[in-house]
Amino acid sequence: MIRFHLRDKKSIQATSILMTVYYENTRVKISTGCSVPPKFWMDRKQRVKVTIEFEKANEINDRLTAMEAVLNSLMKQYRDDDFYPSPQRIKSDFIKQRQVPVKNKKDKKLWDHFEDFIEEKRKTSVDIREYNNSLRKHLLKVQEIFGTPLSFALIASDSANFSLEWMNYLSFIAPNAEGFPGLLPNTIGKSNKALKAFLNWCFEKGIVNRFSLKCFPSISEDVDKIYLTEEDLLLLEKLDVTDPHAKKVRDLFLVGCESGLRFSDFIRISEHDIRNNELHIIPKKTKNSGVKKLIIPLSERFKTILESYNGILPTYDKNQVTRFNATIRELCCEANMTDDIKFYREVAGETILIIKKKYEEVSSHTCRRTFCTLKFLKGMPAQAIMKFSGHKSERNFLKYLKLDAELTARTYASYF
């Protein structure tokens, strides 16, 4: 890991910027040769604030980015060679390789800035696939359509019709999860959101003058995702599972249904998070947006699973969510969750009827929907459920309540 920091944060004058690399329990500090008044330094972003009050900001930031790239390359070379260098060796090798030409911001092209954007996202986001994989792929495909490298001028130009080509590609050409042309409205909305995140980042960095992004709308549709009933959960709990991996997936999935946590949270519960028959955890996704610690009472099913592991739940690799989802679907199929689920989708401008088996629609996120829906059906007030699920707005919370028409009719028949 590489980090930049100031030599003296409390200095009233410009102070040196140091670069520190951490590896194998060793810390090596390297001088960058740059200095900045502390008031212009951004600790979280590890860069100089771009402002007219400090004209060298862009120059220094470009220099830091180039130095970071050189050191990353050097450390990768060490790892590939299975070599553990001394701090002195790292410093000397870095000095030899640092004579790399630094691109000025004006010389950089859109794709250069996109790579910088991705690197910054790596430091602040748990999952960057929406940007590094999906957005990159879509931009490259639209670039092929234009037959010329993408540029900010092309995106901003009304005459180039970039937004029309972009929306046409997403709506009618890009393959969806079923392999057919045309993404679903929610996926298009996510792609537009990712593109706007990149462009807004460029605006804030002063890379390009701001232009309107209204042509990239936040499209969404109400997706009728499923939840599991209490009977489904019981079938899954009683299922005889002998494969160690499948058993771990089943148990963690049930823990997710009993806690309402996201995949990134229920796969990392430690013994220290559990005390006084309560789960105390800070959600990864929302820890920077105002949602702090959640305190969730342990259900009897949760306690039973916990006891089966002697009080220490297993963890799961956060990068293996696809394998997790495939396994839980197989288990739900074995548990006879084979009812037909009918729903409509807007694909390539047409509304189509889709029929799937219930188990085919189960995923790690089904846990959260199941928790919210079952608690609501048991009579728990929405505001109380939100305290446990971490939802800040009732509008977003209500999206998680999946009450099919038949169940709603039976539940609220007494009101008629």
Side-chain angles (χ1 to χ4, degrees):
M1 181 176 71
I2 299 172
R3 292 189 63 83
F4 293 96
H5 56 91
L6 301 183
R7 183 184 295 277
D8 182 5
K9 290 183 179 180
K10 298 181 180 180
S11 175
I12 58 174
Q13 298 179 331
T15 185
S16 301
I17 302 174
L18 301 178
M19 178 169 61
T20 302
V21 59
Y22 301 85
Y23 78 103
E24 297 295 326
N25 297 319
T26 303
R27 182 177 66 178
V28 182
K29 289 185 178 181
I30 302 174
S31 174
T32 64
C34 303
S35 59
V36 61
K39 67 178 181 179
F40 297 127
W41 179 252
M42 297 183 291
D43 261 332
R44 189 171 68 84
K45 295 183 178 180
Q46 300 176 52
R47 289 296 186 270
V48 182
K49 183 178 181 180
V50 178
T51 171
I52 58 174
E53 297 178 63
F54 191 65
E55 296 179 355
K56 293 184 178 180
N58 285 329
E59 178 186 339
I60 293 176
N61 286 339
D62 289 341
R63 186 180 180 88
L64 298 182
T65 298
M67 294 175 74
E68 186 176 23
V70 171
L71 189 54
N72 268 324
S73 175
L74 191 59
M75 299 308 294
K76 181 179 184 302
Q77 183 179 327
Y78 291 146
R79 289 193 297 272
D80 291 345
D81 296 340
D82 199 22
F83 176 59
Y84 299 92
S86 66
Q88 292 74 21
R89 175 64 182 271
I90 291 178
K91 289 182 180 180
S92 65
D93 285 352
F94 176 74
I95 291 173
K96 291 176 185 176
Q97 295 193 28
R98 68 179 290 185
Q99 304 303 322
V100 176
V102 178
K103 286 188 176 182
N104 291 321
K105 196 159 283 191
K106 292 181 180 178
D107 297 330
K108 287 185 174 183
K109 306 300 182 184
L110 180 143
W111 285 108
D112 296 316
H113 292 299
F114 184 80
E115 298 302 336
D116 292 343
F117 169 72
I118 294 299
E119 285 307 308
E120 190 164 307
K121 277 292 180 184
R122 289 187 198 280
K123 299 175 183 177
T124 59
S125 302
V126 176
D127 187 352
I128 64 167
R129 287 176 297 176
E130 189 66 40
Y131 307 103
N132 195 33
N133 297 354
S134 301
L135 179 59
R136 183 192 297 275
K137 175 181 67 178
H138 296 327
L139 285 174
L140 285 171
K141 288 295 184 181
V142 174
Q143 180 173 267
E144 288 180 13
I145 293 172
F146 277 97
T148 185
L150 292 183
S151 65
F152 293 114
L154 186 150
I155 295 175
S157 171
D158 291 334
S159 59
N161 291 324
F162 173 85
S163 62
L164 291 178
E165 292 292 351
W166 169 260
M167 291 299 292
N168 183 69
Y169 164 75
L170 296 179
S171 302
F172 302 103
I173 301 174
N176 57 40
E178 305 296 329
F180 300 110
L183 300 180
L184 299 175
N186 284 344
T187 308
I188 294 174
K190 284 184 179 179
S191 299
N192 283 346
K193 183 179 178 181
L195 176 59
K196 288 191 288 188
F198 167 56
L199 294 174
N200 278 318
W201 178 85
C202 293
F203 297 157
E204 292 168 6
K205 295 284 185 181
I207 294 167
V208 63
N209 292 329
R210 189 176 293 274
F211 53 85
S212 175
L213 301 180
K214 291 181 180 179
C215 48
F216 306 111
S218 300
I219 300 171
S220 65
E221 67 173 347
D222 185 20
V223 180
D224 189 25
K225 290 291 185 181
I226 66 162
Y227 73 95
L228 300 190
T229 65
E230 189 59 47
E231 291 74 19
D232 291 332
L233 296 181
L234 188 59
L235 285 172
L236 194 57
E237 183 181 13
K238 298 301 181 183
L239 191 66
D240 183 21
V241 182
T242 55
D243 178 70
H245 173 261
K247 182 179 184 302
K248 178 165 70 170
V249 168
R250 187 269 309 273
D251 292 343
L252 286 176
F253 180 84
L254 289 173
V255 164
C257 291
E258 296 299 311
S259 62
L261 294 175
R262 296 179 179 85
F263 175 78
S264 58
D265 294 320
F266 69 68
I267 63 170
R268 63 180 181 92
I269 297 173
S270 75
E271 57 184 314
H272 305 294
D273 296 324
I274 299 172
R275 50 186 179 272
N276 300 323
N277 283 325
E278 294 172 339
L279 173 61
H280 296 240
I281 192 166
I282 299 176
K284 267 192 173 184
K285 183 177 179 181
T286 55
K287 66 181 180 181
N288 295 323
S289 62
V291 177
K292 301 301 180 184
K293 180 189 289 186
L294 299 179
I295 302 177
I296 306 166
L298 301 188
S299 68
E300 290 305 314
R301 180 176 283 126
F302 195 124
K303 292 177 187 176
T304 300
I305 295 171
L306 187 62
E307 288 171 5
S308 72
Y309 288 96
N310 297 317
I312 304 176
L313 289 174
T315 56
Y316 200 86
D317 186 350
K318 65 180 181 181
N319 297 314
Q320 294 295 316
V321 64
T322 301
R323 186 186 182 197
F324 183 97
N325 288 338
T327 302
I328 195 60
R329 285 172 188 143
E330 290 174 4
L331 292 171
C332 288
C333 179
E334 290 179 31
N336 292 319
M337 297 182 203
T338 54
D339 293 343
D340 285 340
I341 303 294
K342 299 179 182 180
F343 49 90
Y344 292 91
R345 287 285 186 273
E346 189 77 21
V347 181
E350 296 183 8
T351 300
I352 60 174
L353 171 65
I354 297 176
I355 302 176
K356 286 191 174 184
K357 298 298 182 182
K358 186 173 186 176
Y359 72 86
E360 294 180 295
E361 288 295 285
V362 175
S363 71
S364 61
H365 211 62
T366 305
C367 301
R368 196 159 160 80
R369 296 183 184 278
T370 297
F371 174 86
C372 293
T373 302
L374 293 185
K375 289 291 183 284
F376 186 79
L377 290 175
K378 288 179 180 179
M380 184 180 287
Q383 290 296 329
I385 304 174
M386 289 170 62
K387 290 290 184 182
F388 298 129
S389 66
H391 285 99
K392 294 184 69 178
S393 88
E394 194 164 338
R395 178 174 176 271
N396 285 331
F397 166 74
L398 290 174
K399 293 178 182 178
Y400 279 77
L401 296 184
K402 292 302 168 186
L403 309 179
D404 59 72
E406 185 177 347
L407 180 58
T408 303
R410 291 202 307 266
T411 303
Y412 297 104
S414 60
Y415 287 83
F416 291 84

Short mmCIF file of all heavy atoms in Angstrom, two decimals, residues 65-108:
data_model
loop_
_atom_site.label_atom_id
_atom_site.label_comp_id
_atom_site.label_asym_id
_atom_site.label_seq_id
_atom_site.Cartn_x
_atom_site.Cartn_y
_atom_site.Cartn_z
N THR A 65 1.10 11.44 -8.82
CA THR A 65 0.50 10.32 -9.54
C THR A 65 1.55 9.52 -10.31
O THR A 65 1.55 8.28 -10.31
CB THR A 65 -0.58 10.82 -10.52
OG1 THR A 65 -1.62 11.48 -9.77
CG2 THR A 65 -1.19 9.67 -11.31
N ALA A 66 2.48 10.25 -10.95
CA ALA A 66 3.54 9.58 -11.71
C ALA A 66 4.47 8.80 -10.78
O ALA A 66 4.86 7.66 -11.08
CB ALA A 66 4.34 10.62 -12.50
N MET A 67 4.81 9.38 -9.63
CA MET A 67 5.69 8.71 -8.68
C MET A 67 5.01 7.46 -8.10
O MET A 67 5.66 6.43 -7.91
CB MET A 67 6.07 9.67 -7.56
CG MET A 67 6.92 10.85 -8.03
SD MET A 67 7.24 12.06 -6.72
CE MET A 67 8.43 11.17 -5.75
N GLU A 68 3.72 7.58 -7.85
CA GLU A 68 2.97 6.43 -7.33
C GLU A 68 2.98 5.30 -8.35
O GLU A 68 3.11 4.12 -7.99
CB GLU A 68 1.55 6.85 -7.00
CG GLU A 68 0.72 5.79 -6.34
CD GLU A 68 -0.67 6.28 -5.93
OE1 GLU A 68 -1.14 7.27 -6.54
OE2 GLU A 68 -1.25 5.69 -5.01
N ALA A 69 2.82 5.63 -9.61
CA ALA A 69 2.82 4.62 -10.67
C ALA A 69 4.16 3.92 -10.75
O ALA A 69 4.24 2.69 -10.92
CB ALA A 69 2.47 5.26 -12.02
N VAL A 70 5.25 4.69 -10.64
CA VAL A 70 6.61 4.12 -10.69
C VAL A 70 6.82 3.16 -9.51
O VAL A 70 7.32 2.04 -9.68
CB VAL A 70 7.68 5.23 -10.66
CG1 VAL A 70 9.07 4.63 -10.48
CG2 VAL A 70 7.62 6.04 -11.95
N LEU A 71 6.41 3.60 -8.32
CA LEU A 71 6.62 2.76 -7.14
C LEU A 71 5.74 1.52 -7.18
O LEU A 71 6.17 0.43 -6.78
CB LEU A 71 6.34 3.57 -5.87
CG LEU A 71 6.73 2.90 -4.54
CD1 LEU A 71 8.18 2.45 -4.56
CD2 LEU A 71 6.50 3.85 -3.37
N ASN A 72 4.51 1.66 -7.66
CA ASN A 72 3.64 0.48 -7.81
C ASN A 72 4.25 -0.54 -8.75
O ASN A 72 4.22 -1.74 -8.50
CB ASN A 72 2.26 0.91 -8.33
CG ASN A 72 1.28 1.20 -7.22
OD1 ASN A 72 1.28 0.54 -6.20
ND2 ASN A 72 0.43 2.20 -7.42
N SER A 73 4.79 -0.04 -9.86
CA SER A 73 5.44 -0.92 -10.83
C SER A 73 6.64 -1.63 -10.21
O SER A 73 6.86 -2.83 -10.42
CB SER A 73 5.86 -0.11 -12.06
OG SER A 73 6.59 -0.91 -12.96
N LEU A 74 7.39 -0.89 -9.42
CA LEU A 74 8.58 -1.44 -8.77
C LEU A 74 8.19 -2.54 -7.77
O LEU A 74 8.79 -3.62 -7.74
CB LEU A 74 9.33 -0.32 -8.05
CG LEU A 74 10.73 -0.62 -7.52
CD1 LEU A 74 11.65 -1.05 -8.65
CD2 LEU A 74 11.30 0.61 -6.82
N MET A 75 7.16 -2.26 -6.95
CA MET A 75 6.73 -3.24 -5.95
C MET A 75 6.15 -4.49 -6.62
O MET A 75 6.33 -5.62 -6.13
CB MET A 75 5.69 -2.62 -5.02
CG MET A 75 6.19 -1.41 -4.23
SD MET A 75 7.74 -1.71 -3.33
CE MET A 75 7.19 -2.92 -2.12
N LYS A 76 5.47 -4.31 -7.76
CA LYS A 76 4.93 -5.46 -8.49
C LYS A 76 6.07 -6.33 -9.01
O LYS A 76 6.01 -7.56 -8.98
CB LYS A 76 4.06 -4.99 -9.65
CG LYS A 76 3.43 -6.13 -10.46
CD LYS A 76 2.56 -5.61 -11.58
CE LYS A 76 1.87 -6.76 -12.32
NZ LYS A 76 2.82 -7.74 -12.88
N GLN A 77 7.12 -5.66 -9.47
CA GLN A 77 8.28 -6.40 -9.97
C GLN A 77 8.91 -7.23 -8.85
O GLN A 77 9.29 -8.39 -9.05
CB GLN A 77 9.31 -5.41 -10.54
CG GLN A 77 10.53 -6.08 -11.17
CD GLN A 77 11.49 -5.05 -11.74
OE1 GLN A 77 11.08 -4.01 -12.21
NE2 GLN A 77 12.78 -5.36 -11.66
N TYR A 78 8.99 -6.64 -7.67
CA TYR A 78 9.54 -7.38 -6.52
C TYR A 78 8.67 -8.62 -6.22
O TYR A 78 9.19 -9.70 -5.96
CB TYR A 78 9.58 -6.49 -5.28
CG TYR A 78 10.59 -5.36 -5.33
CD1 TYR A 78 10.31 -4.14 -4.71
CD2 TYR A 78 11.80 -5.51 -5.98
CE1 TYR A 78 11.22 -3.09 -4.74
CE2 TYR A 78 12.72 -4.46 -6.02
CZ TYR A 78 12.42 -3.25 -5.40
OH TYR A 78 13.33 -2.22 -5.42
N ARG A 79 7.35 -8.42 -6.22
CA ARG A 79 6.45 -9.53 -5.91
C ARG A 79 6.57 -10.63 -6.96
O ARG A 79 6.60 -11.82 -6.62
CB ARG A 79 5.01 -9.04 -5.83
CG ARG A 79 4.71 -8.18 -4.61
CD ARG A 79 3.21 -7.99 -4.42
NE ARG A 79 2.59 -7.29 -5.52
CZ ARG A 79 2.50 -5.96 -5.59
NH1 ARG A 79 2.98 -5.20 -4.62
NH2 ARG A 79 1.91 -5.39 -6.63
N ASP A 80 6.63 -10.23 -8.23
CA ASP A 80 6.74 -11.22 -9.31
C ASP A 80 8.03 -12.03 -9.19
O ASP A 80 8.08 -13.22 -9.54
CB ASP A 80 6.69 -10.53 -10.67
CG ASP A 80 5.32 -9.94 -10.97
OD1 ASP A 80 4.36 -10.32 -10.27
OD2 ASP A 80 5.21 -9.09 -11.89
N ASP A 81 9.09 -11.35 -8.73
CA ASP A 81 10.39 -12.02 -8.58
C ASP A 81 10.54 -12.72 -7.24
O ASP A 81 11.60 -13.30 -6.95
CB ASP A 81 11.54 -11.00 -8.75
CG ASP A 81 11.58 -10.41 -10.15
OD1 ASP A 81 11.01 -11.04 -11.07
OD2 ASP A 81 12.17 -9.32 -10.33
N ASP A 82 9.50 -12.62 -6.40
CA ASP A 82 9.54 -13.20 -5.05
C ASP A 82 10.76 -12.68 -4.29
O ASP A 82 11.48 -13.43 -3.62
CB ASP A 82 9.57 -14.73 -5.13
CG ASP A 82 9.16 -15.38 -3.81
OD1 ASP A 82 8.49 -14.69 -3.01
OD2 ASP A 82 9.54 -16.54 -3.57
N PHE A 83 10.97 -11.36 -4.40
CA PHE A 83 12.14 -10.72 -3.80
C PHE A 83 11.69 -9.76 -2.70
O PHE A 83 10.75 -8.99 -2.88
CB PHE A 83 12.90 -9.95 -4.89
CG PHE A 83 14.07 -9.16 -4.39
CD1 PHE A 83 15.11 -9.78 -3.73
CD2 PHE A 83 14.13 -7.78 -4.58
CE1 PHE A 83 16.20 -9.04 -3.27
CE2 PHE A 83 15.20 -7.04 -4.12
CZ PHE A 83 16.24 -7.68 -3.46
N TYR A 84 12.34 -9.83 -1.55
CA TYR A 84 12.01 -8.98 -0.42
C TYR A 84 13.14 -7.98 -0.20
O TYR A 84 14.12 -8.28 0.47
CB TYR A 84 11.78 -9.82 0.84
CG TYR A 84 10.64 -10.79 0.69
CD1 TYR A 84 10.86 -12.09 0.23
CD2 TYR A 84 9.34 -10.39 0.96
CE1 TYR A 84 9.81 -12.98 0.07
CE2 TYR A 84 8.27 -11.28 0.79
CZ TYR A 84 8.52 -12.56 0.35
OH TYR A 84 7.48 -13.42 0.18
N PRO A 85 13.03 -6.80 -0.80
CA PRO A 85 14.12 -5.81 -0.74
C PRO A 85 14.21 -5.10 0.61
O PRO A 85 13.24 -5.01 1.35
CB PRO A 85 13.72 -4.82 -1.83
CG PRO A 85 12.23 -4.86 -1.80
CD PRO A 85 11.86 -6.28 -1.51
N SER A 86 15.38 -4.60 0.90
CA SER A 86 15.58 -3.78 2.09
C SER A 86 15.04 -2.38 1.80
O SER A 86 14.89 -2.00 0.63
CB SER A 86 17.06 -3.70 2.43
OG SER A 86 17.76 -3.00 1.41
N PRO A 87 14.74 -1.58 2.82
CA PRO A 87 14.29 -0.20 2.58
C PRO A 87 15.28 0.58 1.73
O PRO A 87 14.87 1.36 0.86
CB PRO A 87 14.19 0.37 3.99
CG PRO A 87 13.86 -0.82 4.84
CD PRO A 87 14.66 -1.94 4.25
N GLN A 88 16.58 0.37 1.95
CA GLN A 88 17.59 1.09 1.17
C GLN A 88 17.52 0.70 -0.31
O GLN A 88 17.68 1.55 -1.19
CB GLN A 88 18.99 0.78 1.73
CG GLN A 88 19.27 1.33 3.11
CD GLN A 88 18.56 0.55 4.21
OE1 GLN A 88 18.18 -0.60 4.01
NE2 GLN A 88 18.35 1.19 5.36
N ARG A 89 17.26 -0.60 -0.57
CA ARG A 89 17.18 -1.07 -1.95
C ARG A 89 15.97 -0.44 -2.64
O ARG A 89 16.05 -0.03 -3.82
CB ARG A 89 17.07 -2.59 -1.97
CG ARG A 89 16.85 -3.20 -3.35
CD ARG A 89 18.03 -2.95 -4.30
NE ARG A 89 17.77 -3.51 -5.61
CZ ARG A 89 18.07 -4.77 -5.96
NH1 ARG A 89 18.65 -5.59 -5.08
NH2 ARG A 89 17.81 -5.21 -7.16
N ILE A 90 14.85 -0.36 -1.94
CA ILE A 90 13.65 0.25 -2.53
C ILE A 90 13.93 1.70 -2.91
O ILE A 90 13.59 2.15 -4.01
CB ILE A 90 12.47 0.17 -1.56
CG1 ILE A 90 12.01 -1.27 -1.38
CG2 ILE A 90 11.29 1.02 -2.06
CD1 ILE A 90 10.89 -1.45 -0.39
N LYS A 91 14.56 2.42 -2.00
CA LYS A 91 14.85 3.84 -2.26
C LYS A 91 15.77 4.01 -3.45
O LYS A 91 15.54 4.86 -4.32
CB LYS A 91 15.45 4.48 -1.02
CG LYS A 91 14.47 4.68 0.13
CD LYS A 91 15.14 5.37 1.30
CE LYS A 91 14.14 5.56 2.45
NZ LYS A 91 14.76 6.24 3.61
N SER A 92 16.81 3.19 -3.53
CA SER A 92 17.77 3.34 -4.62
C SER A 92 17.16 2.95 -5.96
O SER A 92 17.37 3.62 -6.97
CB SER A 92 19.03 2.49 -4.36
OG SER A 92 18.73 1.12 -4.36
N ASP A 93 16.36 1.85 -5.97
CA ASP A 93 15.71 1.44 -7.22
C ASP A 93 14.69 2.48 -7.66
O ASP A 93 14.53 2.73 -8.86
CB ASP A 93 15.01 0.09 -7.02
CG ASP A 93 15.99 -1.08 -6.98
OD1 ASP A 93 17.18 -0.85 -7.25
OD2 ASP A 93 15.56 -2.20 -6.66
N PHE A 94 14.00 3.07 -6.68
CA PHE A 94 13.01 4.09 -7.02
C PHE A 94 13.68 5.30 -7.65
O PHE A 94 13.18 5.86 -8.64
CB PHE A 94 12.23 4.50 -5.77
CG PHE A 94 11.25 5.62 -6.01
CD1 PHE A 94 10.07 5.39 -6.69
CD2 PHE A 94 11.54 6.91 -5.59
CE1 PHE A 94 9.17 6.42 -6.93
CE2 PHE A 94 10.65 7.95 -5.83
CZ PHE A 94 9.47 7.70 -6.50
N ILE A 95 14.80 5.73 -7.07
CA ILE A 95 15.52 6.89 -7.60
C ILE A 95 15.95 6.63 -9.04
O ILE A 95 15.90 7.52 -9.90
CB ILE A 95 16.74 7.22 -6.72
CG1 ILE A 95 16.24 7.75 -5.36
CG2 ILE A 95 17.64 8.24 -7.40
CD1 ILE A 95 17.35 7.95 -4.35
N LYS A 96 16.35 5.39 -9.34
CA LYS A 96 16.81 5.05 -10.70
C LYS A 96 15.64 5.11 -11.70
O LYS A 96 15.82 5.50 -12.85
CB LYS A 96 17.40 3.64 -10.71
CG LYS A 96 18.72 3.51 -9.96
CD LYS A 96 19.18 2.05 -9.96
CE LYS A 96 20.43 1.87 -9.12
NZ LYS A 96 20.83 0.45 -9.03
N GLN A 97 14.46 4.70 -11.23
CA GLN A 97 13.33 4.59 -12.16
C GLN A 97 12.42 5.81 -12.19
O GLN A 97 11.52 5.88 -13.03
CB GLN A 97 12.48 3.36 -11.78
CG GLN A 97 13.21 2.06 -11.96
CD GLN A 97 12.27 0.86 -11.87
OE1 GLN A 97 11.09 0.96 -12.18
NE2 GLN A 97 12.80 -0.28 -11.46
N ARG A 98 12.61 6.74 -11.28
CA ARG A 98 11.66 7.84 -11.18
C ARG A 98 11.80 8.88 -12.29
O ARG A 98 10.97 9.79 -12.39
CB ARG A 98 11.76 8.54 -9.83
CG ARG A 98 13.05 9.31 -9.62
CD ARG A 98 13.06 9.98 -8.27
NE ARG A 98 12.10 11.07 -8.24
CZ ARG A 98 11.96 11.90 -7.21
NH1 ARG A 98 12.68 11.74 -6.13
NH2 ARG A 98 11.08 12.88 -7.25
N GLN A 99 12.85 8.76 -13.10
CA GLN A 99 13.02 9.73 -14.18
C GLN A 99 12.06 9.41 -15.31
O GLN A 99 12.43 9.10 -16.43
CB GLN A 99 14.47 9.71 -14.69
CG GLN A 99 15.51 9.97 -13.61
CD GLN A 99 15.27 11.29 -12.90
OE1 GLN A 99 14.89 12.27 -13.52
NE2 GLN A 99 15.50 11.32 -11.59
N VAL A 100 10.79 9.44 -14.98
CA VAL A 100 9.74 9.14 -15.95
C VAL A 100 9.05 10.43 -16.34
O VAL A 100 8.70 11.23 -15.47
CB VAL A 100 8.69 8.18 -15.33
CG1 VAL A 100 7.55 7.93 -16.30
CG2 VAL A 100 9.36 6.88 -14.94
N PRO A 101 8.90 10.70 -17.61
CA PRO A 101 8.23 11.95 -17.99
C PRO A 101 6.83 12.02 -17.43
O PRO A 101 6.06 11.08 -17.54
CB PRO A 101 8.22 11.89 -19.53
CG PRO A 101 8.37 10.44 -19.86
CD PRO A 101 9.22 9.87 -18.77
N VAL A 102 6.50 13.15 -16.83
CA VAL A 102 5.18 13.36 -16.24
C VAL A 102 4.30 14.12 -17.23
O VAL A 102 4.67 15.17 -17.72
CB VAL A 102 5.31 14.18 -14.93
CG1 VAL A 102 3.93 14.43 -14.34
CG2 VAL A 102 6.19 13.44 -13.94
N LYS A 103 3.16 13.54 -17.49
CA LYS A 103 2.23 14.21 -18.41
C LYS A 103 1.60 15.40 -17.71
O LYS A 103 1.14 15.29 -16.58
CB LYS A 103 1.13 13.25 -18.83
CG LYS A 103 1.55 12.20 -19.82
CD LYS A 103 0.33 11.44 -20.30
CE LYS A 103 0.72 10.44 -21.37
NZ LYS A 103 -0.47 9.73 -21.88
N ASN A 104 1.60 16.53 -18.38
CA ASN A 104 0.85 17.66 -17.85
C ASN A 104 -0.63 17.38 -18.05
O ASN A 104 -1.03 16.66 -18.97
CB ASN A 104 1.22 18.95 -18.60
CG ASN A 104 2.63 19.39 -18.28
OD1 ASN A 104 3.06 19.28 -17.13
ND2 ASN A 104 3.36 19.86 -19.29
N LYS A 105 -1.45 17.97 -17.21
CA LYS A 105 -2.88 17.73 -17.29
C LYS A 105 -3.42 18.10 -18.66
O LYS A 105 -4.32 17.46 -19.19
CB LYS A 105 -3.59 18.52 -16.18
CG LYS A 105 -5.00 18.05 -15.93
CD LYS A 105 -5.49 18.45 -14.58
CE LYS A 105 -4.92 17.58 -13.50
NZ LYS A 105 -5.57 17.78 -12.20
N LYS A 106 -2.84 19.14 -19.27
CA LYS A 106 -3.31 19.58 -20.59
C LYS A 106 -2.96 18.55 -21.66
O LYS A 106 -3.61 18.48 -22.69
CB LYS A 106 -2.71 20.94 -20.94
CG LYS A 106 -3.24 22.08 -20.06
CD LYS A 106 -2.64 23.40 -20.48
CE LYS A 106 -3.17 24.54 -19.61
NZ LYS A 106 -2.56 25.84 -19.99
N ASP A 107 -1.88 17.76 -21.43
CA ASP A 107 -1.46 16.77 -22.42
C ASP A 107 -2.23 15.47 -22.29
O ASP A 107 -2.22 14.65 -23.20
CB ASP A 107 0.04 16.48 -22.26
CG ASP A 107 0.89 17.71 -22.53
OD1 ASP A 107 0.44 18.55 -23.33
OD2 ASP A 107 1.97 17.83 -21.93
N LYS A 108 -2.86 15.26 -21.17
CA LYS A 108 -3.58 14.01 -20.94
C LYS A 108 -4.86 13.96 -21.77
O LYS A 108 -5.53 14.96 -21.97
CB LYS A 108 -3.92 13.86 -19.46
CG LYS A 108 -2.74 13.53 -18.57
CD LYS A 108 -3.22 13.27 -17.14
CE LYS A 108 -2.10 12.79 -16.25
NZ LYS A 108 -2.58 12.47 -14.90
#
